[in-house]
Structures are given as structure tokens and as C-alpha cells.
Amino acid sequence: MVSKRLSRLEGHRRKFLAVIDNTPECQRAVHYAGRRAKNTNGALSLLYVIPEGDFQQWLGVEEIMRAEAREEAESTLAKVAQIVRESIGIEPEMVIREGKAADQIVSLIEEDRDIAILVLAAGSAKEGPGPLVSSIAGRASAFPIPVTVLPDTLTNEEIDALC
């Protein structure tokens, strides 16, 4: 069961959550989520999940690997946030987590009760819509908030028209 969303209460704003994962479709999800946030006086949260990795090396190596993964996450989020600022004109919130993406998404949604909509974009690969979309779709009946999945054929102009 999901915690009650607070986004409609005074002093709160509905947040759109986009997951940053260095896939081409990620940019479409960010664009849609950012436009919807701006057009509805909401907010945009960007989540980067550092995958569970082989960080179980010797202590010194593990610390270096974690630091490098964190630097990459911060750099990627900074680039995406700059694009959002320039193209949409809003300041996104940035969150970095470590673990399995689907688990971290659910955890963040439970912690931040202003998050009301998760935005994903389907990939165009012949293998299917992408691992994140497939993972979330597999949990659809138990997922805590609505999920918007953008088709892989939409351009930014078409996304703007939908928002």
C-alpha cells in the first residue's frame, strides 16, 4: 500500500519523477516530465540509480569504485539538469541512489510523498521497451503511483503538443 500523496495539500507541489539512465529514451521522459511539471505548476525530480555492482573488492578499491560511480552520477545529473533549465526553464531536484532501479524508485516514492507520477519512455530496440519499463510493468498491479510510458516514436515537438 502506498502512503497518501501530499502533492495536493497546501505548501506542496505535485512532482513528476524521471529516471536518468544514459539511454536515448531517457531524454524523452525528462522532456515530457519537465514540460508537464512546468505546465501544471509542479516540480521535476530526476533520479539516478547507481547499479548494484561489484563493489565488494578490497576496501580501498571499493571506495574508489563507489566514488567514481558517484562522480559519474553527479556529472550526468548536472548535464540533464542544465538541459532542463535551458529548454524548459525549471529547476529540477536531483537524487542519487544505489541499488536495483525498480526498488530505489519505489523507495523514493514512499519517502517523498509529493511524487505523484513516474514518467518513463519506451526504447525502440527489438528486444522490447527496455529493462526499466519491463521491470515496472511487471509490478504494475502493485506499483504505488501512476506511470506514464511514452512511445519511442514521439519527438520533442510532439511531446510539447501533448503537454
Side-chain angles (χ1 to χ4, degrees):
M1 174 152 171
V2 69
S3 303
K4 180 181 176 187
R5 302 289 93 190
L6 302 176
S7 58
R8 294 292 184 195
L9 299 176
E10 188 172 331
H12 294 268
R13 292 185 346 176
R14 176 174 60 169
K15 289 183 183 176
F16 291 81
L17 175 61
V19 180
I20 308 305
D21 60 6
N22 291 323
T23 60
E25 57 267 20
C26 163
Q27 293 302 319
R28 284 196 324 279
V30 169
H31 188 82
Y32 179 86
R35 286 282 180 211
R36 290 283 297 140
K38 183 173 183 171
N39 292 346
T40 61
N41 197 29
L44 172 62
S45 289
L46 304 174
L47 172 64
Y48 188 105
V49 180
I50 299 169
E52 292 178 312
D54 297 322
F55 291 138
Q56 290 130 13
Q57 307 288 332
W58 292 305
L59 186 58
V61 174
E62 177 184 347
E63 289 173 6
I64 291 169
M65 290 173 71
R66 282 187 193 278
E68 289 174 350
R70 180 84 183 184
E71 283 178 27
E72 179 184 337
E74 290 171 353
S75 173
T76 301
L77 277 175
K79 289 175 189 170
V80 173
Q82 187 60 34
I83 291 168
V84 168
R85 285 183 209 104
E86 291 172 359
S87 65
I88 301 172
I90 62 173
E91 183 63 38
E93 171 184 273
M94 296 178 279
V95 180
I96 298 174
R97 298 286 184 97
E98 185 179 316
K100 290 177 66 178
D103 294 342
Q104 292 305 315
I105 291 167
V106 171
S107 177
L108 179 60
I109 290 167
E110 279 299 313
E111 292 169 24
D112 186 342
R113 296 183 5 189
D114 287 338
I115 296 174
I117 298 174
L118 171 63
V119 179
L120 302 173
S124 57
K126 63 182 176 183
E127 295 85 33
L132 186 56
V133 171
S134 297
S135 172
I136 298 300
R139 304 175 127 178
S141 63
F143 206 73
I145 61 173
V147 180
T148 299
V149 180
L150 300 172
D152 67 338
T153 57
L154 292 179
T155 65
N156 282 349
E157 293 76 25
E158 292 169 322
I159 290 171
D160 291 344
L162 289 171
C163 293

